[in-house]
Amino acid sequence: MILVTGATGNIGTELVAQLSDSGKRVRALVRDPQRATLPAGVEAVVGDLNQPESMAEALDGVDGMFLMPGYAGMHELLARAKKAGVQQVALLSGGSAALEDMGNAVSRYMTQSERDVRESGLAWTFLRPRSFMSNALRWLPQLAVGDVVRAQFSEVRVAAIDPGDIAAVAAAALTGGGLEGRVLELTGPQALLPADQVAVLARVLDRPLVCQNLTNEETVAELEASMPSEYVEAFVSFFVDGTLDESKVHPTVHEVTGRDPRTFEQWARTLVAAFEAATP
Ligand SMILES: NC(=O)c1ccc[n+]([C@@H]2O[C@H](COP(=O)([O-])OP(=O)(O)OC[C@H]3O[C@@H](n4cnc5c(N)ncnc54)[C@H](OP(=O)(O)O)[C@@H]3O)[C@@H](O)[C@H]2O)c1
């Protein structure tokens, strides 16, 4: 039995589907079963990662676990997992774990999550994806009202990755792929600027989209309206001060899955219905 946490999220949805399609027994951790749409045969169990004591039913009889990072009580959760007989963990981490910058709110929770898993005594695989292609879905509200896309950190080139490819690597890690003890740097096949992504969307959607490159000051103002300041500072450190380089392409997805990672265009084409629904 494989427990997928974050089962309703970008990666979890893909991972549940991939494991289920390949005939594995899958249990999905959800907080609200009414809101979760799961494939037939996938068991939904309620639990909260911030409350390890709520995870007993979810952990019962589990061999492998896909684990989201950064929740309170991670240490206790992992101890409970070990006691319940869980053998291995595939931890969703990120490139900033490598910085081990405990003064940076994002690097801190990635780093701490990796440390907690290392110390748990469970077999582990760390997945360090770069920015997700699905971050482009944040443009949907703008696409619904016009053809201008306001691009944050407009000068930063990123080898963004399809969440489905992260899920494919997680599935391999949890199903005997021989990836125990590996730290996997996961990227898509090419590093693009936000303007390049907008140009791809324009082609896929056949719309005359215009990329409005925000200055760093404008980017910070937008971020401050949407997240706590410690996270804004973390992203400014990464992408303005340049402490995190997400432009390097790594061969890992191909090495693990035997196929190339999907391009931004391939990802966008799978989401075309969602993008087309956001038409003025
Ligand atoms: N976006 C990026 O570019 C990027 C890059 C590297 C790493 N990451 C990391 O990826 C993670 C997000 O992954 P994602 O995009 O797949 O997820 P997501 O789409 O943001 O969804 C979050 C998932 O976590 C669940 N969840 C939230 N709080 C929970 C709690 N207290 N207990 C149990 N489940 C909880 C949500 O369930 P509900 O349905 O109940 O809300 C949902 O399934 C973050 O940790 C982020 O740091 C992101």
Side-chain angles (χ1 to χ4, degrees), residues 55-110:
M55 293 288 293
E57 188 187 349
L59 292 169
D60 185 39
V62 165
D63 306 295
M65 169 165 65
F66 174 70
L67 183 60
M68 304 286 280
Y71 288 94
M74 188 84 129
H75 195 74
E76 187 189 334
L77 170 67
L78 289 158
R80 284 174 179 266
K82 185 140 193 269
K83 208 168 163 197
V86 175
Q87 302 290 313
Q88 66 174 146
V89 174
L91 175 72
L92 177 63
S93 180
S96 70
L99 304 176
E100 299 190 73
D101 180 355
M102 304 313 264
N104 176 303
V106 175
S107 177
R108 180 171 61 236
Y109 81 74
M110 298 294 188

Side-chain angles (χ1 to χ4, degrees), residues 225-241:
S226 66
M227 62 177 70
S229 58
E230 64 173 350
Y231 291 110
V232 179
E233 286 163 23
F235 289 117
V236 166
S237 163
F238 293 156
F239 298 130
V240 177
D241 303 341

Side-chain angles (χ1 to χ4, degrees), residues 6 8-11 31 48-49 69 71 92 109-110 131-132 135:
T8 56
N10 291 304
I11 301 171
R31 288 187 294 175
D48 189 323
L49 289 167
Y71 288 94
L92 177 63
Y109 81 74
M110 298 294 188
S131 294
F132 301 172
N135 293 351

Side-chain angles (χ1 to χ4, degrees), residues 36-217:
T37 312
L38 299 167
V42 173
E43 185 187 334
V45 174
V46 174
D48 189 323
L49 289 167
N50 281 322
Q51 295 168 10
E53 69 283 2
S54 74
M55 293 288 293
E57 188 187 349
L59 292 169
D60 185 39
V62 165
D63 306 295
M65 169 165 65
F66 174 70
L67 183 60
M68 304 286 280
Y71 288 94
M74 188 84 129
H75 195 74
E76 187 189 334
L77 170 67
L78 289 158
R80 284 174 179 266
K82 185 140 193 269
K83 208 168 163 197
V86 175
Q87 302 290 313
Q88 66 174 146
V89 174
L91 175 72
L92 177 63
S93 180
S96 70
L99 304 176
E100 299 190 73
D101 180 355
M102 304 313 264
N104 176 303
V106 175
S107 177
R108 180 171 61 236
Y109 81 74
M110 298 294 188
T111 303
Q112 192 58 53
S113 297
E114 289 193 1
R115 287 180 185 169
D116 286 343
V117 172
R118 277 181 200 274
E119 287 165 11
S120 70
L122 296 164
W124 54 261
T125 306
F126 296 156
L127 313 178
R128 290 183 177 172
R130 305 310 188 249
S131 294
F132 301 172
M133 290 178 179
S134 50
N135 293 351
L137 295 171
R138 69 175 178 269
W139 293 333
L140 287 178
Q142 301 180 60
L143 293 169
V145 295
D147 287 327
V148 177
V149 175
R150 293 164 60 84
Q152 301 172 346
F153 299 122
S154 54
E155 293 171 10
V156 178
R157 209 173 269 282
V158 168
I161 179 163
D162 184 328
D165 286 331
I166 304 169
V169 173
L174 291 167
T175 57
L179 298 170
E180 289 83 7
R182 295 274 308 274
V183 178
L184 302 172
E185 311 291 346
L186 303 177
T187 72
Q190 57 197 153
L192 299 179
L193 291 168
D196 300 326
Q197 292 191 337
V198 173
V200 170
L201 287 179
R203 188 166 64 244
V204 169
L205 302 174
D206 194 20
R207 283 179 60 177
L209 301 180
V210 174
C211 182
Q212 183 185 337
N213 285 333
L214 300 184
T215 63
N216 288 333
E217 292 70 24

